[in-house]
Amino acid sequence: MSDTGKKKLGVIVDTVRENDDTTSIFFRPEDDERFKAFRPGQFASIRVMTEEGWSEPHPFTISGAPGDTLRMTIKRNGRFTGEIIPALKAGVPIQCAGPFGAFCRDIEGEEQIVFVAGGVGITPFLSVLRHFRNTDAANSIVLFWCNKTYADAFAAQELEEIADTIDLTVVHVLSREHKPDLYEEEDKPRIRFEKGHFSRHMLERHIRSTTASFYLCGPGPMQEHVLDEMAAYGIDPAGVNKEQFVFTGK
């Protein structure tokens, strides 16, 4: 606690509960200048003040767009996030190191883009899409978002709104959803639904080219499955941009 008076600290300015186990925090870092030039897809490491003192550092993707209030979206998944989420409140001090990483670097120059996200692996793509919305980008994007149920797709409404402003098609891939009305024809051609797990057949139904720029973010086993299905469809797995959130900084 004594070091709080020795240097300038960042602070959480707002929180949003996205769903039962996912929370977004908005914060000002202690050094705004370092983050003014962050790029969509990058991440940072944060420490949060808890009742027991500073938490251990942990990396999270920056899910907001450059120029907006710095934002991270954190899912309760394991001991660290289970302990830190209750401490995430407006006014709580925070330390932030970064930005780090080169995932999605120079993505603005890619004409056709395909994103495949597993669960909270959507966060770097949310940063890109929010940036594209803010800049009226002309890129053509197809997003496959793999979740167990539609309730897990915490940003579904915002993605619909983004799809109304840029060339974005969202395909919700739901492995345990049993609501038949989700799959009925509706007047939202840019919002689509698929049952089961991601497959080569879904690629065939929703993308126009095997030479688009492909980006993949999600758990290891999910990535292996997706890459196998991509290969079966004719996409070179070696050319897929992958984010595995390997972080060795201190």
Side-chain angles (χ1 to χ4, degrees), residues 162-183:
I162 294 175
D164 286 336
T165 62
I166 65 173
D167 186 3
L168 167 67
T169 298
V170 181
V171 184
H172 291 285
V173 181
L174 307 173
S175 62
R176 299 184 186 177
E177 183 61 77
H178 303 294
K179 296 180 181 178
D181 57 315
L182 282 177
Y183 306 99

Short mmCIF file of all heavy atoms in Angstrom, two decimals, residues 162-183:
data_model
loop_
_atom_site.label_atom_id
_atom_site.label_comp_id
_atom_site.label_asym_id
_atom_site.label_seq_id
_atom_site.Cartn_x
_atom_site.Cartn_y
_atom_site.Cartn_z
N ILE A 162 -23.02 -2.58 -35.47
CA ILE A 162 -21.84 -2.37 -36.30
C ILE A 162 -22.09 -2.88 -37.71
O ILE A 162 -21.67 -2.26 -38.70
CB ILE A 162 -20.60 -3.04 -35.67
CG1 ILE A 162 -20.24 -2.36 -34.35
CG2 ILE A 162 -19.42 -3.00 -36.63
CD1 ILE A 162 -19.11 -3.03 -33.59
N ALA A 163 -22.78 -4.02 -37.82
CA ALA A 163 -23.08 -4.59 -39.14
C ALA A 163 -24.00 -3.69 -39.96
O ALA A 163 -24.06 -3.83 -41.19
CB ALA A 163 -23.70 -5.98 -38.98
N ASP A 164 -24.69 -2.77 -39.32
CA ASP A 164 -25.53 -1.81 -40.03
C ASP A 164 -24.72 -0.64 -40.59
O ASP A 164 -25.24 0.13 -41.40
CB ASP A 164 -26.62 -1.26 -39.10
CG ASP A 164 -27.72 -2.27 -38.84
OD1 ASP A 164 -27.91 -3.18 -39.67
OD2 ASP A 164 -28.40 -2.15 -37.79
N THR A 165 -23.46 -0.51 -40.13
CA THR A 165 -22.68 0.65 -40.53
C THR A 165 -21.47 0.31 -41.40
O THR A 165 -21.00 1.18 -42.14
CB THR A 165 -22.19 1.43 -39.29
OG1 THR A 165 -21.34 0.59 -38.51
CG2 THR A 165 -23.38 1.87 -38.44
N ILE A 166 -20.94 -0.92 -41.29
CA ILE A 166 -19.82 -1.33 -42.13
C ILE A 166 -20.14 -2.68 -42.77
O ILE A 166 -21.17 -3.30 -42.45
CB ILE A 166 -18.49 -1.42 -41.33
CG1 ILE A 166 -18.57 -2.53 -40.26
CG2 ILE A 166 -18.15 -0.08 -40.69
CD1 ILE A 166 -17.25 -2.78 -39.56
N ASP A 167 -19.26 -3.14 -43.66
CA ASP A 167 -19.49 -4.40 -44.39
C ASP A 167 -19.08 -5.58 -43.50
O ASP A 167 -18.02 -6.17 -43.67
CB ASP A 167 -18.69 -4.39 -45.69
CG ASP A 167 -18.99 -5.59 -46.57
OD1 ASP A 167 -19.86 -6.41 -46.19
OD2 ASP A 167 -18.35 -5.72 -47.63
N LEU A 168 -19.95 -5.92 -42.56
CA LEU A 168 -19.70 -6.99 -41.59
C LEU A 168 -20.84 -8.00 -41.61
O LEU A 168 -22.01 -7.61 -41.56
CB LEU A 168 -19.57 -6.40 -40.18
CG LEU A 168 -19.60 -7.40 -39.01
CD1 LEU A 168 -18.37 -8.31 -39.02
CD2 LEU A 168 -19.72 -6.67 -37.68
N THR A 169 -20.48 -9.28 -41.68
CA THR A 169 -21.44 -10.37 -41.50
C THR A 169 -21.03 -11.15 -40.27
O THR A 169 -19.87 -11.53 -40.13
CB THR A 169 -21.46 -11.32 -42.72
OG1 THR A 169 -21.87 -10.57 -43.87
CG2 THR A 169 -22.41 -12.48 -42.49
N VAL A 170 -21.97 -11.37 -39.36
CA VAL A 170 -21.71 -12.09 -38.11
C VAL A 170 -22.38 -13.46 -38.17
O VAL A 170 -23.59 -13.55 -38.43
CB VAL A 170 -22.24 -11.31 -36.89
CG1 VAL A 170 -21.94 -12.08 -35.60
CG2 VAL A 170 -21.64 -9.92 -36.83
N VAL A 171 -21.60 -14.50 -37.95
CA VAL A 171 -22.13 -15.87 -37.91
C VAL A 171 -21.95 -16.40 -36.49
O VAL A 171 -20.82 -16.65 -36.05
CB VAL A 171 -21.40 -16.79 -38.91
CG1 VAL A 171 -22.05 -18.18 -38.90
CG2 VAL A 171 -21.41 -16.19 -40.32
N HIS A 172 -23.05 -16.55 -35.77
CA HIS A 172 -23.01 -17.12 -34.43
C HIS A 172 -23.01 -18.65 -34.54
O HIS A 172 -23.97 -19.24 -35.05
CB HIS A 172 -24.21 -16.66 -33.61
CG HIS A 172 -24.18 -15.20 -33.25
ND1 HIS A 172 -23.36 -14.70 -32.28
CD2 HIS A 172 -24.88 -14.15 -33.76
CE1 HIS A 172 -23.55 -13.39 -32.18
NE2 HIS A 172 -24.46 -13.03 -33.06
N VAL A 173 -21.93 -19.27 -34.07
CA VAL A 173 -21.80 -20.73 -34.10
C VAL A 173 -22.06 -21.21 -32.67
O VAL A 173 -21.26 -20.98 -31.77
CB VAL A 173 -20.40 -21.16 -34.57
CG1 VAL A 173 -20.31 -22.68 -34.61
CG2 VAL A 173 -20.10 -20.55 -35.94
N LEU A 174 -23.19 -21.90 -32.47
CA LEU A 174 -23.66 -22.24 -31.12
C LEU A 174 -23.72 -23.75 -30.93
O LEU A 174 -24.46 -24.44 -31.61
CB LEU A 174 -25.03 -21.62 -30.89
CG LEU A 174 -25.12 -20.09 -31.17
CD1 LEU A 174 -26.55 -19.60 -31.06
CD2 LEU A 174 -24.20 -19.33 -30.22
N SER A 175 -22.91 -24.26 -30.00
CA SER A 175 -22.78 -25.71 -29.84
C SER A 175 -23.84 -26.32 -28.93
O SER A 175 -24.10 -27.52 -29.01
CB SER A 175 -21.39 -26.05 -29.31
OG SER A 175 -21.18 -25.46 -28.03
N ARG A 176 -24.45 -25.50 -28.04
CA ARG A 176 -25.42 -26.07 -27.10
C ARG A 176 -26.71 -25.26 -27.04
O ARG A 176 -27.42 -25.30 -26.03
CB ARG A 176 -24.80 -26.13 -25.69
CG ARG A 176 -23.55 -27.01 -25.61
CD ARG A 176 -23.06 -27.11 -24.18
NE ARG A 176 -21.80 -27.83 -24.11
CZ ARG A 176 -21.10 -28.03 -22.99
NH1 ARG A 176 -21.58 -27.55 -21.83
NH2 ARG A 176 -19.95 -28.68 -23.01
N GLU A 177 -27.00 -24.55 -28.08
CA GLU A 177 -28.22 -23.75 -28.11
C GLU A 177 -29.35 -24.56 -28.71
O GLU A 177 -29.21 -25.15 -29.77
CB GLU A 177 -27.98 -22.48 -28.94
CG GLU A 177 -29.16 -21.54 -28.99
CD GLU A 177 -29.54 -21.02 -27.63
OE1 GLU A 177 -28.84 -20.12 -27.11
OE2 GLU A 177 -30.54 -21.53 -27.06
N HIS A 178 -30.50 -24.57 -28.03
CA HIS A 178 -31.63 -25.39 -28.48
C HIS A 178 -32.90 -24.57 -28.70
O HIS A 178 -34.00 -25.10 -28.64
CB HIS A 178 -31.91 -26.51 -27.47
CG HIS A 178 -30.71 -27.39 -27.21
ND1 HIS A 178 -30.17 -28.21 -28.17
CD2 HIS A 178 -29.95 -27.55 -26.10
CE1 HIS A 178 -29.13 -28.86 -27.68
NE2 HIS A 178 -28.96 -28.48 -26.43
N LYS A 179 -32.75 -23.29 -28.97
CA LYS A 179 -33.90 -22.44 -29.26
C LYS A 179 -34.11 -22.39 -30.76
O LYS A 179 -33.37 -21.70 -31.47
CB LYS A 179 -33.68 -21.04 -28.71
CG LYS A 179 -33.57 -20.98 -27.19
CD LYS A 179 -33.35 -19.56 -26.70
CE LYS A 179 -33.22 -19.50 -25.19
NZ LYS A 179 -32.95 -18.13 -24.70
N PRO A 180 -35.10 -23.09 -31.27
CA PRO A 180 -35.26 -23.16 -32.74
C PRO A 180 -35.55 -21.82 -33.38
O PRO A 180 -35.21 -21.62 -34.56
CB PRO A 180 -36.44 -24.13 -32.91
CG PRO A 180 -37.16 -24.11 -31.60
CD PRO A 180 -36.12 -23.87 -30.56
N ASP A 181 -36.14 -20.87 -32.64
CA ASP A 181 -36.48 -19.59 -33.25
C ASP A 181 -35.24 -18.79 -33.65
O ASP A 181 -35.32 -17.91 -34.52
CB ASP A 181 -37.34 -18.75 -32.31
CG ASP A 181 -36.68 -18.50 -30.96
OD1 ASP A 181 -36.14 -19.47 -30.39
OD2 ASP A 181 -36.70 -17.37 -30.48
N LEU A 182 -34.10 -19.08 -33.06
CA LEU A 182 -32.87 -18.39 -33.45
C LEU A 182 -32.48 -18.69 -34.89
O LEU A 182 -31.84 -17.87 -35.55
CB LEU A 182 -31.72 -18.78 -32.52
CG LEU A 182 -31.65 -18.14 -31.15
CD1 LEU A 182 -30.49 -18.71 -30.36
CD2 LEU A 182 -31.50 -16.62 -31.26
N TYR A 183 -32.84 -19.87 -35.35
CA TYR A 183 -32.38 -20.33 -36.66
C TYR A 183 -33.41 -20.11 -37.76
O TYR A 183 -33.18 -20.46 -38.91
CB TYR A 183 -32.02 -21.81 -36.57
CG TYR A 183 -31.02 -22.10 -35.46
CD1 TYR A 183 -31.44 -22.58 -34.24
CD2 TYR A 183 -29.67 -21.86 -35.66
CE1 TYR A 183 -30.53 -22.83 -33.21
CE2 TYR A 183 -28.76 -22.11 -34.64
CZ TYR A 183 -29.19 -22.59 -33.42
OH TYR A 183 -28.29 -22.83 -32.42
#
